[in-house]
Amino acid sequence: MADAGRLADPAVEARLARLDELLAGLESAPGPAAATAVEAVRVLTEIYGEALARMLDLAGAQPAARLAEDELLGHLLVLHDLHPEPPARRAERAVDRLRPAVRERGGDVELVGVDGQVARVRVTEASGCGSGCGGGPTVADAVREAVLTAAPELTAVEQLSAPAAPAFVPLDSLLVREAR
C-alpha cells in the first residue's frame, strides 16, 4: 500500500495536540450542545475501538503484534485495551532502547519490575547527579517519559536508589594476628 496522503508522525502529533485543545474547550463550554458534542466523540471512539478489535481478531496474533509496534497504532491499541503486550513488557522495551545511550554516558538503567500501575527502575548516572544538578533533564526524566509513553496505563515510574558499592576490605585486616 502506498504512503501517499499519509501523515508523518509530527503531523499526527500536531493533530492530536489540536484534538486535545478542542476537546478541552468542549468539555469546559456551557450548554447542552457542548455535552452532546463530547458524547458524540465518546461514542465515535467506542465504535472505532470496536472496529479495531474486530480487525485484530481477523488479522491474528502475529499481524497484531506488528501493528502494535507502530507508535500511533500502539497508542490506539492501549486506548481501547487491545494491546497484545502487557504494560510491563512495553516498559521493559522502552528501558532497553534507552540503555545503550545511558551506558555511552557512563551510567546504566534497568527495569526492576512493574507493581500494579507503577514501574520501578534503577538509574545510575556517571556524574552521580541524578537529580538534575545542571538544571536540565536527567536520565531519570528521560526514562520516566519513555516508560509512560510506551505504557500510558502505568501511573508512575518510581526510581530506586542504586545499590551501594561493596566495600573493599583487605584480607589481611580480617586475620587475627598474634601479639608479639
Side-chain angles (χ1 to χ4, degrees):
M1 181 186 307
D3 284 348
R6 294 283 172 83
L7 297 175
D9 286 345
V12 170
E13 290 171 14
R15 282 171 173 75
L16 289 173
R18 179 67 180 139
L19 179 60
D20 285 342
E21 291 171 7
L22 292 169
L23 289 174
L26 277 176
E27 289 171 346
S28 65
T36 300
V38 170
E39 176 71 7
V41 170
R42 186 188 62 74
V43 171
L44 182 62
T45 301
E46 289 174 0
I47 296 291
Y48 281 153
E50 178 60 25
L52 187 58
R54 290 178 184 195
M55 182 187 72
L56 291 175
D57 288 346
L58 292 171
Q62 188 172 3
R66 287 193 54 222
L67 292 170
E69 291 173 5
D70 179 87
E71 186 176 1
L72 178 59
L73 293 175
H75 285 295
L76 284 174
L77 294 173
V78 168
L79 174 69
H80 296 288
D81 199 25
L82 298 170
H83 204 289
E85 288 186 325
R89 177 65 190 121
R90 287 182 273 131
E92 182 180 8
R93 273 201 346 264
V95 169
D96 288 346
R97 281 192 302 268
L98 286 175
R99 187 174 294 116
V102 174
R103 285 184 174 166
E104 190 174 284
R105 290 166 179 76
D108 201 4
V109 60
E110 78 172 299
L111 178 70
V112 176
V114 173
D115 185 19
Q117 292 182 306
V118 177
R120 291 181 173 36
V121 296
R122 183 169 290 119
V123 177
T124 53
E125 295 188 56
S127 66
C129 186
S131 60
C133 300
T138 65
V139 171
D141 294 334
V143 170
R144 181 179 306 104
E145 183 179 333
V147 167
L148 293 178
T149 297
E153 61 271 57
L154 298 178
T155 58
V157 177
E158 180 181 306
Q159 184 176 343
L160 303 177
S161 57
F168 175 74
V169 179
L171 184 58
D172 292 350
S173 70
L174 298 175
L175 298 175
V176 179
R177 296 184 183 176
E178 288 185 32
R180 293 187 187 185

